[in-house]
Amino acid sequence: MSDSTPAFEMRNITKRFPGVLANDRVTFVGEKGEIHALLGENGAGKSTLMNVLSGLYHADSGELFIDGRRVRFNSPGDAIAAGVGMVHQHFMLVPVQTVAENVILGQQDVGFVLDTAKIEAEVRRIGERYGLPVDPRAYIWQLSVGEQQRVEIIKMLYRGAQILILDEPTAVLTPQETEGFFHTLEEMKAEGKTIVFISHKLDEVLSIADRITVLRQGKHIATVPAAGMTKPELASLMVGREVLFHIETPAIEPGEPRLILRDVEALDNKRLPALRKLSLTVRSGEIVGVAGVAGNGQRELAEAICGMRPITGGSIEVTGDNVTGAPPIIMIEAGIAYVPADRSAMGSAPNLSVAENLALKSYRIPPIGGRWFMNRRTMREQAEALIQAYDIATPSADTPSRKLSGGNLQKLILARELSSRPQVIIAAYPTRGLDIGATENVRNLLVDARNQGAAILLISEDLDEVFALSDRIDVIYEGEIVGHVSREEADRETVGLMMAGERVTKSASNAES
Amino acid sequence: MSVQSPPQPPPQTSTRTRLRLERRMEQPRWLNILAPFILIIAALLVGALLLSLTGSDPWLIYRRMASVAYGSKYGWSDTTIKATPLILASLGVSIAFRMRLWNIGAEGQLYMGAFLATGVALNVVPPESPMWLMLLTMGVAGFIGGAIWGFIPGLLKAKLNVNEIITTLMLNYVAILWNNYFIYGPWSERGFGLTPQFPRNAWMPRFTDYATAVPALRGVTAHFGIFLAFFLAIVLWVVWRWTKWGFEVSIIGDNPQAARYAGINLSRKIMVVMALSGGLAGLAGMVEVSGVVHRLQERFSPGYGFTAIIVAWLAKLNPLAIIVVSYLFAGLLVGADEIQPAGIAQLLQGVILFVVVGGDMMLRYRLRVTH
């Protein structure tokens, strides 16, 4: 492409929400044929900026140019018509429709009678062209998360997107899938398309991006070529200070087994087997990481342990007591704390106050709960103390929890769960979507709890996290534990292969690390 | 380099002016408090428009209604009579609404409460027993009657996830027909659609009964059921504000998943809440037959159970606000009795609900003009 007009140019974009300046005169330019990473902590204004570019929000001031022409988007439809497509973190697909049907969803010009064969052929062609293999006739609910992501991308390409915005696309992929995905990005780049890549994973950003733009607190901090940058440099640009990547996990001898699962079986929401004779043990003072691609039974595993999902076979033992099939309240009383994967859908009641959310479990027992009444003053005092101790940024203890940022909501949940001094902690994706600062914080809290003797089951698909925190790693695939590795002998390749379902025997795994 | 537009048709972005609804990030507190009043005034204005279309003078009608309902102690008495069952039934539905259970069966629950209270008064407690025993038994029976009618949809919801909107609505008709069977059949007085009158000790005491001691009360036919209504409103206010039970209900109402996660037994709570909700509506039926009608008869309720839904909603489920709003709607009913054309009360109720629901959305969203 000899054309040197930028693919898009956002000039001095300002977007204000009540009480927050989400974007403060941000300028952001994407060239044709480049992969441009957008980095920043949560609340730095990345999503807002991209929502302006994709037509979801309207900037308060500033200008937007697509291919040199000034444009105003009033809806995502306008943006798509101008060649801007966004793949959101949460996919927007209709599960009961096929891939092809989802691709044309919302298209105006398909006519009354669908030419299914033509659409399918086109979907297949796009898939082959960019290395996005997916069966156009498959139903969305039959697809893995990685495949669904391909559908989202195909959808945008089908609509002629020249500028593709990807919001944390690798969060749902195995290391192997990620590699394939990067090839796709390279293909698109070679065609002169512009890719905006939002990610928290600095390694990835450095390996795939051409240029990197960093936002902090709504402001543009820097736009730099990726070549020559290092991880610590990027991190300090994002956070505004030095960041430690290494977390101290002092060697301690694990104590007695606190959580024992034997041959546990459970069904998923579609009533299909999700856990198949799954066994694992977590001892006092150790973190056991469960690594796996999302959707292989992690959610069901966590819910089964916490009593929120009935188990259809096997047994669960907590601190020596058999609690198989017990309801959540028994599990809570047995000393299980649960940091759920979905902070807002399960972990908190969004319209209740921060104080009430902190007391979501402790309202029953003294000093807050009496026989019938609850002492709201004590509740509030405890909340103030927890807000201090866990450094939760909130205007007050009475603020509805929905107004907290993701990182602060997670701190709230950890404060609630850890302050009860639990015997066992189930932490599902505890740092998903959190920025570097908050991630560091959450990980330190978990390691502290471990050092004080808690038994921690860490469920995560982020291998960096599993490797950084775990004393032992169990790999889950299709509801089974398909491999165990200790921290010393763990290497990414082996674990990655196991996550993809390959059974790797211990002897075959090399312990070089 | 240059960003001059080439001479091409503009890209497909609209330059038309558009109206868009945008969700408000925050609702100002003053707006929340003022909202019901603004909405009611708006509703009265819309009502006035409709009234003037019928050729009447809305101002005159409103003034007349207000003076009938609130202009004298007899007006207040009549308004209180209608407010009493309305408060109780509204408190009832508000309990379920707090948990996002849409109990729209208060009318049926009210009828079942009246039915069981009547059964006790006529057939169980001997007529010569003391009044406190009679009224207490009737009250318990009325509560149980409504509670059973609320419990059935609760059970179905909790165990089989049956939609409570459908079941509570349908059970209204069952309850009314069930009553009709008894008042035309086994309990009928000479085949008319009513039962024999209750013995005197089953009559809820009225203010006018004490006119010999306090002459000013003469003709004030409102009964002591209003004390029960006030008392229960205060109890509920305390429950929501200060008890563990009330806290659990508010967690479930906000996020059932989080409630389950916090160890709350959802299905038991659904059944208990639906039973309590129906029980209060049942009490409304009991005080109406005991305090006003003194027998069970066809259509003794002018739709209190349905109006209660509007009242609870307008009061934002706040028990104390329910008292105020109930008095407003009761005044509307009393005032409209005196006014032509008939049916104005229902018309205004409908308009108020309409404006409230629509207006509520305008409070959560705001209109934005883009171009």
Side-chain angles (χ1 to χ4, degrees):
Chain A
M1 291 250 160
S2 57
D3 185 359
S4 62
T5 314
F8 69 87
E9 208 175 341
M10 306 179 80
R11 275 200 220 145
N12 293 319
I13 298 288
T14 298
K15 176 76 188 174
R16 209 180 295 270
F17 292 114
V20 192
L21 190 55
N23 287 149
D24 184 7
R25 285 163 291 144
V26 176
T27 293
F28 182 46
V29 182
E31 303 291 342
K32 287 169 187 157
E34 81 162 341
I35 298 177
H36 198 143
L38 188 56
L39 270 182
E41 296 205 284
N42 278 338
K46 303 177 305 265
S47 310
T48 307
L49 190 67
M50 289 304 99
N51 283 331
V52 169
L53 181 57
S54 64
L56 217 56
Y57 291 160
H58 208 84
D60 295 331
S61 69
E63 295 169 315
L64 175 57
F65 297 87
I66 302 289
D67 206 9
R69 281 192 302 269
R70 173 101 195 258
V71 292
R72 282 184 80 95
F73 296 150
N74 280 319
S75 70
D78 290 346
I80 288 166
V84 180
M86 179 155 177
V87 176
H88 292 267
Q89 227 176 331
H90 300 283
F91 301 147
M92 313 213 170
L93 299 169
V94 185
V96 295
Q97 291 191 338
T98 66
V99 169
E101 284 165 346
N102 268 280
V103 167
I104 56 144
L105 203 67
Q107 295 277 82
Q108 303 287 324
D109 50 5
V110 288
F112 187 69
V113 179
L114 294 179
D115 187 350
T116 317
K118 195 176 123 202
I119 297 162
E120 285 173 1
E122 178 64 10
V123 168
R124 203 167 271 124
R125 191 194 66 77
I126 295 174
E128 279 161 16
R129 171 75 189 78
Y130 295 102
L132 297 163
V134 60
D135 175 8
R137 293 191 183 175
Y139 288 92
I140 298 298
W141 59 265
Q142 297 171 319
L143 303 182
S144 72
V145 188
E147 287 171 311
Q148 292 184 23
Q149 183 181 56
R150 288 179 211 153
V151 178
E152 283 281 13
I153 296 172
I154 290 173
K155 197 162 96 181
M156 292 305 153
L157 294 171
Y158 184 90
R159 293 170 187 195
Q162 286 301 313
I163 299 162
L164 212 67
I165 306 162
L166 304 167
D167 193 358
E168 296 207 35
T170 57
V172 294
L173 303 178
T174 61
Q176 281 80 4
E177 280 178 311
T178 302
E179 237 167 80
F181 173 72
F182 282 172
H183 283 301
T184 303
L185 296 190
E186 296 285 353
E187 288 287 331
M188 294 196 277
K189 169 179 153 185
E191 272 207 349
K193 293 189 193 299
T194 308
I195 291 138
V196 180
F197 186 95
I198 303 177
S199 177
H200 287 295
K201 298 181 186 170
L202 298 177
D203 291 313
E204 281 179 13
V205 167
L206 286 169
S207 72
I208 187 77
D210 299 307
R211 287 198 299 162
I212 300 168
T213 290
V214 180
L215 300 185
R216 192 199 313 151
Q217 288 172 353
K219 291 197 181 66
H220 177 264
I221 298 299
T223 297
V224 292
M229 285 302 283
T230 64
K231 236 168 104 169
E233 282 170 348
L234 279 180
S236 64
L237 279 177
M238 282 167 69
V239 184
R241 61 177 169 84
E242 294 289 307
V243 178
L244 295 172
F245 280 93
H246 187 68
I247 289 185
E248 284 301 321
T249 52
I252 44 178
E253 196 53 41
E256 80 287 356
R258 287 260 178 93
L259 173 70
I260 303 172
L261 269 65
R262 288 194 190 90
D263 296 330
V264 168
E265 295 176 345
L267 304 178
D268 65 13
N269 290 344
K270 289 189 202 113
R271 308 209 153 265
L272 300 172
L275 301 180
R276 306 159 201 260
K277 291 204 179 293
L278 184 145
S279 301
L280 57 79
T281 303
V282 190
R283 291 167 296 175
S284 164
E286 73 172 352
I287 298 182
V288 174
V290 175
V293 180
N296 274 290
Q298 291 97 325
R299 175 191 165 159
E300 288 81 5
L301 172 63
E303 291 183 359
I305 297 173
C306 299
M308 298 185 65
R309 181 172 294 273
I311 64 172
T312 50
S315 68
I316 300 179
E317 218 174 86
V318 176
T319 58
D321 295 327
N322 186 349
V323 288
T324 312
I329 180 71
I330 300 294
M331 298 302 196
I332 293 169
E333 282 168 357
I336 295 185
Y338 178 24
V339 180
D342 205 326
R343 296 188 267 276
S344 46
M346 185 182 286
S348 63
N351 294 307
L352 299 191
S353 71
V354 168
E356 288 172 320
N357 271 289
L358 283 167
L360 209 58
K361 288 177 175 171
S362 59
Y363 74 91
R364 294 190 178 85
I365 44 172
I368 295 180
R371 176 97 177 81
W372 301 100
F373 288 87
M374 57 190 283
N375 187 335
R376 286 198 173 247
R377 183 186 295 171
T378 310
M379 177 179 92
R380 212 168 179 292
E381 283 164 7
Q382 283 198 354
E384 305 277 2
L386 288 172
I387 289 169
Q388 280 280 315
Y390 287 84
D391 191 26
I392 304 167
T394 171
S396 87
D398 302 319
T399 308
S401 71
R402 77 187 132 86
K403 297 207 173 150
L404 299 190
S405 70
N408 279 302
L409 188 56
Q410 189 72 339
K411 283 190 212 164
L412 183 159
I413 291 169
L414 281 162
R416 178 181 67 217
E417 298 302 313
L418 301 186
S419 63
S420 65
R421 304 240 149 223
Q423 304 279 325
V424 178
I425 300 167
I426 313 296
Y429 312 99
T431 62
R432 180 154 70 183
L434 299 193
D435 54 53
I436 298 184
T439 298
E440 215 184 356
N441 214 312
V442 167
R443 289 181 182 170
N444 280 325
L445 287 173
L446 287 174
V447 171
D448 282 349
R450 160 200 182 257
N451 296 345
Q452 287 165 22
I456 301 181
L457 188 70
L458 170 72
I459 299 173
S460 179
E461 60 215 10
D462 179 350
L463 277 188
D464 289 330
E465 176 156 284
V466 172
F467 277 70
L469 297 181
S470 310
D471 297 295
R472 293 188 291 123
I473 298 171
D474 284 357
V475 181
I476 191 170
Y477 177 73
E478 292 195 338
E480 280 179 278
I481 299 296
V482 293
H484 310 270
V485 256
S486 68
R487 185 215 287 271
E488 292 73 33
E489 59 180 10
D491 72 284
R492 301 181 68 93
E493 265 58 41
T494 319
V495 173
L497 285 173
M498 287 176 175
M499 281 165 70
E502 227 152 295
R503 287 185 184 267
V504 182
T505 53
K506 268 261 177 68
S507 54
S509 75
N510 46 356
E512 47 190 335
S513 140
Chain B
M1 296 283 155
S2 129
V3 282
Q4 296 262 302
S5 329
Q8 273 181 15
Q12 289 189 26
T13 55
S14 147
T15 49
R16 281 167 290 146
T17 301
R18 284 191 198 182
L19 290 178
R20 285 222 296 192
L21 280 177
E22 237 176 52
R23 209 184 161 95
R24 277 178 199 270
M25 296 306 231
E26 313 201 27
Q27 291 185 39
R29 201 174 148 69
W30 61 266
L31 194 58
N32 271 335
I33 295 167
L34 274 183
F37 299 97
I38 299 172
L39 293 174
I40 285 169
I41 291 168
L44 289 177
L45 289 177
V46 176
L49 194 73
L50 290 173
L51 287 174
S52 59
L53 287 178
T54 68
S56 11
D57 177 353
W59 175 239
L60 208 68
I61 290 184
Y62 283 162
R63 239 183 21 199
R64 175 101 181 97
M65 285 173 68
S67 83
V68 167
Y70 308 115
S72 66
K73 72 177 175 197
Y74 305 110
W76 276 101
S77 167
D78 285 353
T79 305
T80 300
I81 288 176
K82 299 225 187 293
T84 304
L86 211 44
I87 295 170
L88 287 168
S90 306
L91 292 175
V93 294
S94 77
I95 296 178
F97 283 8
R98 279 246 167 186
M99 228 172 82
R100 305 277 150 93
L101 285 171
W102 306 120
N103 173 16
I104 57 172
E107 186 75 357
Q109 291 145 13
L110 183 147
Y111 269 92
M112 291 315 278
F115 165 79
L116 225 57
T118 301
V120 164
L122 292 180
N123 306 320
V124 179
V125 185
E128 61 277 7
S129 49
M131 179 183 271
W132 66 265
L133 179 67
M134 178 61 110
L135 288 179
L136 186 70
T137 325
M138 284 173 73
V140 170
F143 183 88
I144 290 174
I148 291 172
W149 230 234
F151 177 77
I152 295 169
L155 181 75
L156 291 170
K157 171 84 178 180
K159 298 297 178 199
L160 302 170
N161 201 22
V162 178
N163 186 331
E164 78 281 3
I165 302 180
I166 309 284
T167 46
T168 53
L169 176 70
M170 291 304 161
L171 282 177
N172 283 329
Y173 303 110
V174 178
I176 290 169
L177 292 171
W178 172 277
N179 263 289
N180 281 352
Y181 168 72
F182 278 87
I183 58 183
Y184 280 104
W187 293 353
S188 173
E189 180 159 74
R190 287 167 288 144
F192 293 109
L194 37 78
T195 64
Q197 203 171 49
F198 296 163
R200 280 307 287 237
N201 63 351
W203 291 23
M204 185 78 72
R206 298 175 302 179
F207 290 96
T208 186
D209 298 343
Y210 297 87
T212 42
V214 188
L217 292 178
R218 187 171 312 282
V220 178
T221 51
H223 54 85
F224 285 7
I226 191 67
F227 294 131
L228 179 67
F230 277 34
F231 172 71
L232 288 176
I234 293 165
V235 168
L236 262 190
W237 184 80
V238 171
V239 165
W240 298 142
R241 186 85 189 85
W242 299 107
T243 65
K244 289 157 71 173
W245 194 87
F247 183 53
E248 286 172 356
V249 169
S250 65
I251 299 172
I252 301 174
D254 194 40
N255 184 354
Q257 270 295 349
R260 228 162 73 77
Y261 159 79
I264 297 170
N265 185 336
L266 274 190
S267 50
R268 192 169 72 196
K269 208 79 170 181
I270 290 172
M271 294 187 284
V272 171
V273 158
M274 283 300 290
L276 284 178
S277 175
L280 284 192
L283 268 183
M286 177 268 170
V287 298
E288 189 66 6
V289 291
S290 162
V292 182
V293 205
H294 302 145
R295 53 159 46 110
L296 188 61
Q297 66 182 39
E298 203 174 4
R299 294 165 176 272
F300 73 91
S301 158
Y304 288 130
F306 294 117
T307 308
I309 299 167
I310 312 179
V311 172
W313 203 242
L314 198 60
K316 297 251 154 107
L317 312 185
N318 177 328
L320 303 183
I322 280 176
I323 294 179
V324 178
V325 180
S326 293
Y327 261 91
L328 182 89
F329 273 73
L332 207 60
L333 286 171
V334 170
D337 275 351
E338 298 276 316
I339 294 297
Q340 292 298 321
I344 280 188
Q346 278 89 340
L347 175 99
L348 284 177
Q349 273 184 23
V351 170
I352 290 177
L353 179 65
F354 203 80
V355 172
V356 167
V357 173
D360 208 48
M361 196 188 78
M362 293 310 293
L363 292 178
R364 277 185 287 116
Y365 292 79
R366 64 175 167 204
L367 214 52
R368 273 276 281 235
V369 185
T370 59
H371 47 79

